[in-house]
Amino acid sequence: MVLSIYCQPGAKLTKVVGLFDDSLKISLQAPAVENQANELLLAWLSKQLKIPQKQIQFISGQNSRKKRLEIWGLISPDQIIQALMPK
C-alpha cells in the first residue's frame, strides 16, 4: 500500500491534522534538520499502525514536505485509516 503524506515539521505535537492536496497532513514535533523529521515520522507511523518500522519505506520525498511511503505486511487500508484518523 502507498501512503501520500504532507509533513509539517517543527510543530508542538506529532499528529494527523487532516488532508492537504490529496495527501494526509501530519504535523511533526521534530525539526526538518539532519533527517530528524523523517526518523520521527517512521517511528510515529510504526507506533500508530502497530507494525515494525522496517515495514514502512520511503518511495519518494525524503527531502520534501510531500512524501510517498510504502507500507506492507498484514495491515489493511481500513486498519490504516482507523489508526491514523484524528481523535
Side-chain angles (χ1 to χ4, degrees):
M1 166 162 211
V2 176
L3 190 60
S4 293
I5 296 177
Y6 181 84
C7 293
Q8 182 180 11
K12 289 185 180 182
L13 293 173
T14 298
K15 64 180 182 176
V16 174
V17 292
L19 296 175
F20 178 80
D21 199 23
D22 294 331
S23 298
L24 188 63
K25 184 175 180 180
I26 299 178
S27 62
L28 297 171
Q29 209 168 7
V33 177
E34 297 178 7
N35 213 30
Q36 291 179 31
N38 286 341
E39 290 173 8
L40 176 63
L41 176 63
L42 293 179
W44 184 82
L45 284 171
S46 172
K47 182 179 176 185
Q48 297 302 308
L49 300 175
K50 297 181 174 86
I51 60 173
Q53 195 168 326
K54 64 184 178 186
Q55 288 182 225
I56 306 169
Q57 180 178 344
F58 281 99
I59 296 173
S60 64
Q62 290 93 325
N63 298 321
S64 170
R65 287 180 181 242
K66 191 153 184 142
K67 303 173 185 306
R68 291 182 66 224
L69 299 168
E70 182 178 18
I71 300 171
W72 66 91
L74 299 174
I75 188 164
S76 72
D78 288 337
Q79 289 172 309
I80 291 172
I81 291 167
Q82 286 288 74
L84 298 180
M85 282 190 52
K87 295 171 175 108

